[in-house]
């Protein structure tokens, strides 16, 4: 089967790969590029575990074809920390124990970062609404929401 050549940027690094027409961006991230932080929960756009941003827009990578990544800028969970320095959201997730099994966590963090990039001072209701597409079986969401609001406050210097 012929493959398509894709030139993209992933976490700020120019990246090229070959993919088949039916491969999703999630398939390529995990299986070809070995960026396994993005998780496959449902493959149908329902759980948010595969969340990444594409040109700054939050998307489910299980619903996007890899060929559509051509000339786009992709951010995944692997690009969130700067070396050993965790992003404030990651730090607050730890401090608030906002994870248990951790399967949903990369997607929640990517989604929460997309929220704070767009709305640096969200209300609790806005945070819950924004994260409604990210399912978590373990935490009950309260700790996640508290962690996001605390990170937002810290990023404001409050
Ligand atoms: S794996 Fe993509 S939304 Fe669930
Ligand atoms: S921490 Fe287990 S699914 Fe969210």
């Amino acid at each position: 089967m012929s493959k398509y050549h894709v030139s993209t940027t992933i976490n700020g690094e120019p990246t090229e790969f070959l993919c088949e027409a039916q491969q999703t961006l999630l398939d390529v991230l995990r299986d070809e590029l070995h960026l396994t932080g993005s998780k496959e929960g449902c493959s149908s756009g329902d759980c948010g575990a595969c969340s990444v941003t594409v040109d700054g827009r939050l998307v489910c990578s299980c619903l996007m074809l890899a060929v559509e990544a051509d000339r786009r800028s992709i951010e995944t969970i692997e690009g969130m920390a700067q070396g050993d320095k965790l992003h404030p959201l990651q730090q607050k997730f730890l401090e608030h124990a906002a994870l248990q099994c951790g399967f949903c966590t990369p997607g929640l963090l990517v989604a929460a970062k997309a929220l704070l990039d767009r709305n640096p001072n969200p209300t609790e209701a806005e945070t819950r609404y924004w994260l409604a597409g990210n399912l978590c079986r373990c935490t009950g969401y309260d700790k996640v929401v508290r962690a996001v609001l605390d990170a937002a406050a810290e990023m404001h210097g409050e």
Side-chain angles (χ1 to χ4, degrees):
M1 192 178 293
S2 64
K3 294 202 169 192
Y4 294 84
H5 178 250
V6 174
S7 298
T8 184
T9 302
I10 299 183
N11 300 326
E13 294 286 329
T15 304
E16 297 183 32
F17 58 82
L18 297 174
C19 66
E20 295 174 3
Q22 78 282 3
Q23 278 186 293
T24 66
L25 177 59
L26 181 61
D27 290 335
V28 167
L29 288 173
R30 289 184 57 82
D31 301 337
E32 312 290 343
L33 302 176
H34 309 296
L35 295 171
T36 56
S38 304
K39 301 296 186 244
E40 183 163 20
C42 65
S43 309
S44 56
D46 293 313
C47 76
C50 63
S51 298
V52 300
T53 60
V54 179
D55 293 340
R57 197 165 159 203
L58 186 64
V59 304
C60 294
S61 60
C62 71
L63 294 183
M64 178 172 162
L65 291 172
V67 291
E68 295 177 293
D70 197 45
R71 296 191 297 271
R72 307 279 189 169
S73 178
I74 315 287
E75 295 282 336
T76 72
I77 186 63
E78 286 85 355
M80 189 173 282
Q82 299 300 313
D84 291 340
K85 185 166 170 41
L86 295 179
H87 187 280
L89 280 163
Q90 293 172 306
Q91 187 61 43
K92 293 300 180 185
F93 267 56
L94 287 174
E95 291 174 14
H96 286 268
L99 63 152
Q100 290 180 34
C101 78
F103 194 84
C104 67
T105 308
L108 272 166
L109 285 166
V110 168
K113 182 172 182 297
L115 168 64
L116 298 189
D117 286 347
R118 172 182 298 228
N119 178 0
N121 194 18
T123 64
E124 177 178 341
E126 287 169 336
T127 302
R128 288 184 183 277
Y129 186 79
W130 182 269
L131 296 178
N134 291 80
L135 304 185
C136 173
R137 292 176 174 222
C138 306
T139 63
Y141 302 102
D142 280 343
K143 292 176 177 176
V144 170
V145 171
R146 279 202 292 276
V148 173
L149 294 175
D150 198 10
E154 182 174 291
M155 291 165 75
H156 279 114
E158 290 175 16

